[in-house]
Amino acid sequence: MFSTMSKTLSTGGLICRNFSSSTKRQAKVAVLGASGGIGQPMSLLIKQNPLVSHLSLYDIAHTPGVAADLSHINSAAKVTGHMGPDQLSACLDKCDIVVIPAGVPRKPGMTRDDLFNTNASIVRDLTDACARVCPQAMICIIANPVNSTVPITAEVFKKHNAFDPKRIFGVTTLDVVRANAFIAEAKGLDAAEVSCPVVGGHAGITIVPLISQCKPAVSFDADKLDAMTKRIQDAGTEVVKAKAGAGSATLSMAFAGARFTFSLLNAMKGKTGVIECAYVKSNETDASYFATPIHLGPNGMEKNLGLGKLSAYEKDLVEKAIPELKASIKKGEDFVHK
Ligand code: NAD
Ligand code: LMR
C-alpha cells in the first residue's frame, strides 16, 4: 500500500494553472464529515500529501479537536476546522476538491438504500453549499447510497446552473481496492501490483468486477469466479457484519478515498495517464450514471474509457445491474425535485 502511495507522493514538477488561483501551486481540499470513522483517518492520509496546501475540515461535531490534532503534524498542509452550518461556507471557500463522507453508516441487516432517508438530505444540503461557494471544485461523494447520492449532487448543481459532469464523482475506489486485495490473496500475487476494474454502481449486484480485464491476467474456474465476484459485491456487508453494529468500513475506505483524492490532485497538476474507476454521469449503458474506468485530467473526467471487452458472464452481470441502478438514480433525482 505505502509503496504505491509513496510513488504517488514523490512526483514533483507542479503546474499552477489547474488550481483555483493562478498563483497557487497546491490545492485546498475540504473533507465534509471529517470527524467520522472515515473522515478522521482519510484526513490523516490527505494531510501527508505535499500537493495539499490547505486541508479544511467540516463536521457538525468535534472538528476543532480533530483539526487541532492534525495541525500538529509536520507536513505542509495548513489545517482548519469548521463546525456547524454557519462555518460551512468558510470551509468551502476557494476549495479545489471536496470529499464528502458525511452521513450515517449501515448496521447489520440494513441495505445501503436504507440510509437514503437520512443521508439524502445531508448530501443535498452539503452539495448545495458547494454549488454556491465552490462551483468549480471536484466533488467526491462517499456517503451512501452512492447510487443515489451522486444523482442528488448533480441535480443540486443543475439547480445552481453549475453542473459539470466532469467534476462530480461517486467514489467507488474501495470496490477496486477490495477486488485487487481478494484476487491477489487467491492467486498469491502482490496486492499492490494487481489492478482489476470494477464497474456499475456501489451496492450489491450493481458492483460488477471485470476480472477478465484484471492485470496481471488471472483465470478462475466458473464456480470460483462466481464466488470471487460475489465476495467483492458483498464485501461491504462482510465488514458491517464483522463490526457487529459499530458501523461499516472506515479504514479501508479512508485508504480508498485518499487514493482517489491523490489521483485527482496528480491529474489536476498535469500528470498524464491517471485512471481510476468512478461512478459518473455516463452514456455507456442505459443507466444514466455508471462507474467505469475514467481518464482524469486537469478539469476532472477527461475521457470515459467505457466498459472494454466483457466476457459473457460480465455482460450478464451488467444487464442485471441496470434496473436497480436506474431505480436508485430516479429516486435520487426525484428527491431533489419533490
Ligand atoms: P460515521 O458515523 O463514523 O461518520 C459520519 C460523520 O458525518 C460524523 O462525524 C457525523 O457527525 C458527520 N455528519 C453527519 N451529518 C452531517 C452533516 N449534516 N454535515 C457534516 N457532517 C455530518 O460514518 P462513516 O463510517 O464515516 O461513514 C460515512 C458514510 O460513508 C456512510 O454513509 C457510509 O455508508 C459511507 N461509506 C461509503 C463507502 C464507499 O465506498 N463509497 C465506504 C464506506 C462507507
Ligand atoms: C462499503 O462498501 O464498505 C460501504 O459502502 C459501506 C457499506 O455500507 O457497506
Side-chain angles (χ1 to χ4, degrees):
M1 150 190 172
F2 273 95
S3 62
T4 313
M5 200 170 288
S6 60
K7 267 184 236 159
T8 309
L9 294 180
S10 65
T11 51
L14 300 181
I15 292 172
C16 309
R17 66 189 148 82
N18 304 312
F19 295 130
S20 61
S21 154
S22 61
T23 56
K24 203 163 63 168
R25 286 164 59 87
Q26 294 164 306
K28 177 173 175 182
V29 178
V31 177
L32 312 186
S35 307
I38 297 166
Q40 291 202 39
M42 188 173 69
S43 300
L44 172 63
L45 294 172
I46 295 172
K47 170 77 171 95
Q48 298 171 59
N49 190 311
L51 295 177
V52 181
S53 56
H54 184 170
L55 176 60
S56 181
L57 307 176
Y58 176 80
D59 204 297
I60 51 171
H62 307 306
T63 7
V66 176
D69 193 355
L70 285 176
S71 72
H72 290 187
I73 294 171
N74 63 328
S75 61
K78 171 178 113 175
V79 181
T80 54
H82 310 266
M83 190 163 70
D86 291 350
Q87 298 183 12
L88 181 53
S89 293
C91 171
L92 294 172
D93 186 41
K94 298 190 180 63
C95 261
D96 300 291
I97 299 177
V98 183
V99 194
I100 310 185
V104 293
R106 285 199 282 167
K107 290 194 185 306
M110 292 173 84
T111 67
R112 291 177 184 83
D113 187 59
D114 291 334
L115 304 172
F116 187 98
N117 285 346
T118 309
N119 289 354
S121 55
I122 293 175
V123 171
R124 178 198 59 203
D125 296 348
L126 292 174
T127 56
D128 189 80
C130 295
R132 276 189 290 103
V133 180
C134 55
Q136 299 285 315
M138 307 292 167
I139 310 293
C140 309
I141 304 291
I142 292 173
N144 272 315
V146 167
N147 292 355
S148 300
T149 50
V150 171
I152 287 172
T153 302
E155 293 310 299
V156 167
F157 270 69
K158 284 180 196 169
K159 279 192 165 184
H160 288 270
N161 287 321
F163 177 55
D164 178 352
K166 295 185 171 66
R167 289 169 186 263
I168 294 176
F169 308 95
V171 182
T172 57
T173 321
L174 181 54
D175 300 314
V176 173
V177 165
R178 285 169 170 157
N180 296 347
F182 300 165
I183 290 169
E185 186 186 16
K187 293 292 177 187
L189 298 167
D190 174 354
E193 298 302 326
V194 175
S195 176
C196 177
V198 181
V199 302
H202 179 68
I205 61 160
T206 72
I207 298 169
V208 180
L210 301 183
I211 295 173
S212 71
Q213 295 179 21
C214 183
K215 288 185 184 137
V218 291
S219 67
F220 291 95
D221 296 342
D223 56 338
K224 292 222 166 66
L225 178 67
D226 205 42
M228 176 59 74
T229 300
K230 288 203 165 73
R231 184 171 181 213
I232 296 164
Q233 292 179 323
D234 294 340
T237 307
E238 187 180 314
V239 178
V240 170
K241 280 187 186 151
K243 290 200 173 179
S248 56
T250 53
L251 303 172
S252 51
M253 184 59 234
F255 172 87
R259 168 176 152 169
F260 188 75
T261 305
F262 295 172
S263 289
L264 262 180
L265 285 164
N266 283 324
M268 289 166 78
K269 79 172 174 64
K271 185 175 179 191
T272 55
V274 181
I275 294 168
E276 289 286 354
C277 290
Y279 181 68
V280 292
K281 187 88 176 81
S282 172
N283 297 317
E284 298 301 319
T285 68
D286 283 351
S288 55
Y289 293 81
F290 203 87
T292 42
I294 58 172
H295 187 184
L296 294 169
N299 299 306
M301 178 170 54
E302 204 103 290
K303 188 168 184 216
N304 191 324
L305 300 177
L307 285 164
K309 190 164 181 294
L310 303 182
S311 67
Y313 177 75
E314 291 159 357
K315 272 187 195 151
D316 188 48
L317 293 176
V318 168
E319 291 295 309
K320 287 187 175 131
I322 287 175
E324 182 174 326
L325 273 174
K326 283 174 143 177
S328 302
I329 293 164
K330 183 172 183 321
K331 186 171 176 180
E333 292 177 339
D334 288 351
F335 172 78
V336 176
H337 297 293
K338 75 172 189 260

